[in-house]
C-alpha cells in the first residue's frame, strides 16, 4: 500500500485509527478461555467489531510469542483473517526488530514473505544495514522508532550531540537517506505533545505511527494539533482502551462503541483541518 | 547462572566460546532436508558435536521466526535439548528485543518463563523501563547492545554528546544503575578492536558477549588483548564458521574440529593471561 492509498483509505473511512491487538489471555473475557484458540477467537470478534472504524491493525508480536508455538499460530491466523476479510487494512507487526544484515533479512522474510504484512516496527540503534533489509520486499514499510511514548524515551533518545541535535532527530534525518516516504514511517509517542512540532520540522511529509493515546495518557487533540500534515500523516494507535473496553460477554459491542467514538473524534479533526470534502 | 558460575565453567572447559545457532535451511547439509524437522535435526547434531568445547549457545530467534510456527517448534525443541542434555551451558536468545514496560514483560515471559533461557539480548533505544522487565525472573540476564559488529554501528552508537561521551558509553554507564554485573552483559562486536579498551573503562567487571569473530572478520587475539578481565569477562560467539564448516554428510565432525580449534586457541589465551592454574 502506498502513502497515497493509505490517505485515500483515511478519507473514505474518516478515520486514522490503528487498533492494537495486544491480546493477553489474562485480560480477555473469561468466557473465551474455553475456545480452542482463545487469542484468535478474541481477535476475530474484535476485528469484525472495529474494522469499519479503523484503517490499520497492529498486532504486537510480544503478546503472541509469550505463548510459544500456540501464540505464533494465533498471530498467523489473525493476520490471514484480516488479509482475507478486510483487504483495505494496513497491517503492522509491532515487533521492534533490527539486527545485522543477514539477520534482519531473516526477520524481513518472517514478516513480509511468510506473513504478508504491510509494515514492521524497527529499532534504529544498529543503523543502516540493520534497517535496509526490511525494504527488499516490494511495497514493504519500515516504521522506525524515533521518540517513543515511555518514560525511558528520555534516557537516550533526547541526548543532544555537539551541535544540539537530539538522537531522535538524528535518527529521522539520517534514515531519510535510506528510503523515501512511501516506505518509511516513524514511531512518535502521543505522550510527547509539543515535540510533534520538532518531529514535523525533521519529517514534514512522513506518516507517523502514534502509540500512547488512551491507557498511556496521550491526547489525540495535541497529536493532531502539532502533528497533522496535508495527507493526514498520522496513524494513531489505541490498544487497551478499545480491545479491553469491557470483559463481559458484551465485549464486542463495547469495543465497537469505543472504536466508533474515536473515529468520530478523528472525523471532526480531519474536517477541522480541511482534509475531508 | 551467576557470573562466578559462568567463570567456573570457563575454567573447567578452558573455553569461553559461545556457539551461535543461526540455522538456515538454505545452508544446512541437503541430506537433512528429508528429516521431519530439519532445523532441530541439524541443531541436535551440532550441539552434540560442540558441547565439549563451548560454554554457551546462542540461537538467533530471527532464523526460527522466519519459518513461522515450524520455526518456533524447532527453537523450543533446541532449547529443551540443551537444557536436558547439557545443563552447564548458558543459553542466550539472540532476539534484540525491547519495548514499553508491559510489552517487555511479555517478551520476558517468552524467554524466561516459557523457554527457560538464561539470557536475552536487548536493544537500549527505549531506555530503562524497556529493559528492567527482563530482570524480574530470578537469575535472568539482560545482554544489552552497546557497540555492535556491523557497519551501521557507526550511524548512531558513536555519536558524541556535548561532553564528548559517545552513545555506547552512555548506554553502558546509564544501564549500570539498572542491574548489577551478575545480571547484565554488553554486546560488543569483535570488529571493534581497540575500542575494547574504552569499553573496559566504562565496564571493567562485566561480561561482554562478542559476536563478529570469524565470518564477520573480527580477531580473537585483539578481543582478548583489549577485553579480557580477571574473570575472563568474555563470551566470544562464532556461528557460521563453526556450524557451516562443511555441508557434506561429515558436517558434525567438521563442526567439532572447528569448535575444538577455537577452544584450543582460547585455552592458550586463558593460560597466557593467568586464568588457568
Amino acid at each position: 500500500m502506498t502513502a497515497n492509498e493509505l490517505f485515500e483509505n483515511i478519507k473514505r473511512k474518516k478515520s486514522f485509527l490503528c487498533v492494537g491487538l495486544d491480546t493477553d489471555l489474562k485480560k480477555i473475557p473469561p468466557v473465551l478461555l474455553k475456545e480452542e484458540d482463545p487469542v484468535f477467537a478474541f481477535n476475530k470478534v474484535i476485528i469484525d467489531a472495529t474494522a469499519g472504524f479503523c484503517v490499520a491493525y497492529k498486532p504486537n508480536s510480544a503478546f503472541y510469542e509469550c505463548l510459544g508455538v500456540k501464540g505464533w499460530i494465533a498471530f498467523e491466523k489473525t493476520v490471514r483473517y484480516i488479509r482475507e476479510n478486510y483487504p483495505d487494512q494496513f497491517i503492522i507487526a509491532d515487533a521492534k526488530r533490527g539486527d545485522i544484515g543477514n539477520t534482519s533479512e531473516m526477520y524481513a522474510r518472517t514478516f513480509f514473505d511468510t506473513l504478508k504484512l504491510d509494515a514492521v516496527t524497527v529499532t534504529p540503534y544498529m543503523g543502516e544495514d540493520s534497517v535496509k533489509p526490511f525494504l527488499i520486499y516490494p511495497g514493504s514499510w519500515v516504521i522506525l522508532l524515533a521518540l517513543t511514548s515511555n518514560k525511558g524515551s528520555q534516557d537516550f533518545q533526547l541526548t543532544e550531540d555537539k551541535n544540539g541535535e537530539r538522537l531522535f532527530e538524528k535518527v529521522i534525518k539520517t534514515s531519510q537517506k535510506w528510503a523515501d516516504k512511501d516506505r518509511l514511517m516513524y514511531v512518535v509517542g502521543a505522550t510527547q505533545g509539543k515535540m510533534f512540532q520538532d518531529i514535523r520540522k525533521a519529517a514534514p511529509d512522513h506518516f507517523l505511527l502514534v502509540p500512547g493515546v488512551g491507557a498511556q495518557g496521550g491526547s489525540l487533540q495535541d497529536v493532531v494539533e502539532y502533528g497533522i500534515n496535508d495527507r493526514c500523516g498520522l496513524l494513531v494507535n489505541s490498544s487497551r482502551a478499545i480491545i479491553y473496553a469491557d470483559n463481559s460477554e458484551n465485549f464486542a459491542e463495547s469495543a465497537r462503541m469505543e472504536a466508533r467514538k474515536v473515529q468520530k473524534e478523528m472525523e471532526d479533526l480531519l474536517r477541522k483541518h480541511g482534509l475531508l470534502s
Side-chain angles (χ1 to χ4, degrees), chain A residues 176-205:
Chain A
Q176 289 183 39
K177 297 173 204 149
W178 308 339
D180 70 26
K181 58 185 191 292
D182 267 316
R183 309 290 300 277
L184 187 63
M185 297 190 193
Y186 298 101
V187 173
V188 182
T191 50
Q192 301 292 355
K194 287 192 179 175
M195 295 284 265
F196 273 83
Q197 291 177 309
D198 298 336
I199 299 279
R200 279 303 180 204
K201 279 181 204 146
D205 298 325

Side-chain angles (χ1 to χ4, degrees), chain A residues 136-273:
Chain A
I136 57 177
Y137 290 88
S140 63
W141 285 76
V142 161
I143 308 182
L144 203 61
L145 300 188
L147 190 56
T148 57
S149 58
N150 63 324
K151 187 163 171 287
S153 65
Q154 294 172 34
D155 288 329
F156 308 118
Q157 296 167 23
L158 299 179
T159 302
E160 289 183 20
D161 71 9
K162 289 171 174 172
N163 307 316
E165 185 172 68
R166 289 163 291 187
L167 180 60
F168 74 89
E169 290 166 321
K170 191 178 167 82
V171 165
I172 290 175
K173 286 186 190 168
T174 305
S175 60
Q176 289 183 39
K177 297 173 204 149
W178 308 339
D180 70 26
K181 58 185 191 292
D182 267 316
R183 309 290 300 277
L184 187 63
M185 297 190 193
Y186 298 101
V187 173
V188 182
T191 50
Q192 301 292 355
K194 287 192 179 175
M195 295 284 265
F196 273 83
Q197 291 177 309
D198 298 336
I199 299 279
R200 279 303 180 204
K201 279 181 204 146
D205 298 325
H206 287 72
F207 263 90
L208 308 177
L209 173 65
V210 184
V213 163
Q216 292 181 62
S219 147
L220 179 61
Q221 306 282 338
D222 282 359
V223 168
V224 173
E225 182 67 28
Y226 301 112
I228 203 163
N229 70 16
D230 61 3
R231 283 197 299 185
C232 181
L234 297 169
L235 281 181
V236 171
N237 184 75
S238 179
S239 302
R240 290 170 267 182
I242 291 176
I243 71 174
Y244 302 129
D246 179 354
N247 83 338
S248 76
E249 294 194 18
N250 272 333
F251 72 99
E253 183 55 18
S254 301
R256 200 185 80 85
M257 294 296 284
E258 200 58 40
R260 186 164 166 274
K261 197 177 85 186
V262 180
Q263 179 272 316
K264 283 286 174 209
E265 205 181 335
M266 289 176 166
E267 182 174 345
D268 290 345
L269 290 163
L270 286 168
R271 211 173 289 284
K272 181 181 160 193
H273 285 85

Side-chain angles (χ1 to χ4, degrees), chain A residues 18-29 38-40 42-44 46-47 50 56-67 71 74-75 78 82 91-96 121 149 209-216 236-245:
Chain A
C18 172
V19 173
L21 298 170
D22 298 6
T23 307
D24 184 348
L25 284 180
K26 290 181 181 158
K27 290 188 183 161
I28 67 176
V39 171
F40 176 65
F42 176 78
N43 286 353
K44 185 173 171 303
I46 291 287
I47 292 161
T50 57
Y57 284 100
K58 180 172 74 64
N60 182 327
S61 57
F63 288 75
Y64 301 83
E65 289 178 25
C66 73
L67 303 172
F75 190 93
T78 299
I82 303 170
I91 316 178
I92 302 161
D94 196 2
K96 303 197 171 65
T121 56
S149 58
L209 173 65
V210 184
V213 163
Q216 292 181 62
V236 171
N237 184 75
S238 179
S239 302
R240 290 170 267 182
I242 291 176
I243 71 174
Y244 302 129

Side-chain angles (χ1 to χ4, degrees), chain A residues 75-87:
Chain A
F75 190 93
E76 288 191 8
K77 281 160 73 179
T78 299
V79 172
R80 207 176 309 125
Y81 185 78
I82 303 170
R83 266 285 161 269
E84 286 171 6
N85 294 280
Y86 305 99

